[in-house]
Amino acid sequence: VHVGLVVTEEETSYADMASLVVWCMAVGISYVSVYDHNGIFKRNNSRLMDEILKQQQELLGLDCSKYAVEFANQDKTGQVLNCQSTLKVLSPEDGKADIVKAAQNFCQLVAQQQRTHSDLDVNMLDNLLSSTNGFPDPDLVLKFGPVDSTLGFLPWHIRLTEIISLPSHLNISYEDFFSALHHYAACEQRWGK
């Protein structure tokens, strides 16, 4: 349902990231999150969206009307097309900083006596987090690059997420992407059992 694309490399490619997003759309993934630890994609999200629309036309051709994307930007602006897939572009401020902000908001609610400390549970915290409002937790994260870390990508939300590492997003082929999806499909999730 939700795939995170996490780039840990210093060099980023809008064309390659756009291809990955379009491939996710084409295989029926409803939610896609793009993350890089420098926030490059988020700062230049209109450039990424332009590249996605271009790739959509090139890769899907006449079928592209079936694969519309909604660009869910943090400040609630952005282009919205007939929504079939939803894209969210994230940066480090959407990770730990969002958890801190949610905790502060909850503490304010307690101070104003609108909530009690015993009201805090997993669902309450999920509702207070703004970075993924309306998004389910990622089922799969494809991490690109040599770093063995997600570098702050949604630390609260990936507690049950399968993470697959790939060497690079640069010049990635559809075969590499599809192989990662196939690897995920073969995983047996035991949730701590």
Side-chain angles (χ1 to χ4, degrees):
V1 175
H2 182 184
V3 170
L5 305 172
V6 176
V7 176
T8 65
E9 302 165 278
E10 291 301 318
E11 186 178 348
T12 56
S13 167
Y14 291 93
D16 292 320
M17 186 53 63
S19 293
L20 285 160
V21 170
V22 172
W23 294 337
C24 287
M25 294 165 55
V27 298
I29 296 168
S30 300
Y31 300 93
V32 180
S33 296
V34 172
Y35 176 89
D36 70 282
H37 64 285
N38 293 320
I40 294 169
F41 289 124
K42 186 172 181 178
R43 281 194 307 276
N44 302 296
N45 56 27
S46 60
R47 181 174 170 194
L48 179 61
M49 186 62 178
D50 290 343
E51 190 63 41
I52 289 169
L53 294 173
K54 178 182 161 195
Q55 293 282 339
Q56 196 178 17
Q57 189 64 41
E58 287 176 15
L59 297 174
L60 303 175
L62 297 174
D63 283 345
C64 79
S65 62
K66 290 193 287 188
Y67 305 101
V69 62
E70 176 183 339
F71 195 72
N73 199 357
Q74 290 310 107
D75 56 9
K76 305 298 184 234
T77 62
Q79 296 177 314
V80 178
L81 305 173
N82 295 327
C83 172
Q84 183 162 356
S85 292
T86 306
L87 173 69
K88 191 164 278 206
V89 182
L90 303 169
S91 64
E93 67 197 37
D94 301 308
K96 291 178 185 175
D98 195 38
I99 295 172
V100 170
K101 191 171 100 183
Q104 289 171 335
N105 290 343
F106 182 76
C107 289
Q108 286 177 340
L109 292 172
V110 171
Q112 296 165 356
Q113 297 181 342
Q114 295 177 4
R115 296 279 180 197
T116 65
H117 68 343
S118 59
D119 291 339
L120 186 60
D121 61 8
V122 171
N123 293 328
M124 171 65 79
L125 184 57
D126 278 340
N127 291 335
L128 290 169
L129 294 170
S130 63
S131 62
T132 56
N133 198 359
F135 263 51
D137 289 349
D139 303 298
L140 170 65
V141 166
L142 298 179
K143 184 199 67 67
F144 303 97
V147 179
D148 288 332
S149 170
T150 57
L151 298 177
F153 173 75
L154 301 178
W156 172 260
H157 303 86
I158 61 172
R159 58 195 183 276
L160 300 174
T161 301
E162 189 68 33
I163 300 171
I164 296 176
S165 295
L166 296 165
S168 178
H169 77 293
L170 302 173
N171 300 315
I172 190 164
S173 68
Y174 180 76
E175 290 74 23
D176 293 336
F177 169 75
F178 193 74
S179 175
L181 292 182
H182 187 62
H183 178 78
Y184 168 72
C187 289
E188 180 183 340
Q189 293 188 325
R190 297 180 185 185
W191 293 291
K193 295 177 188 170

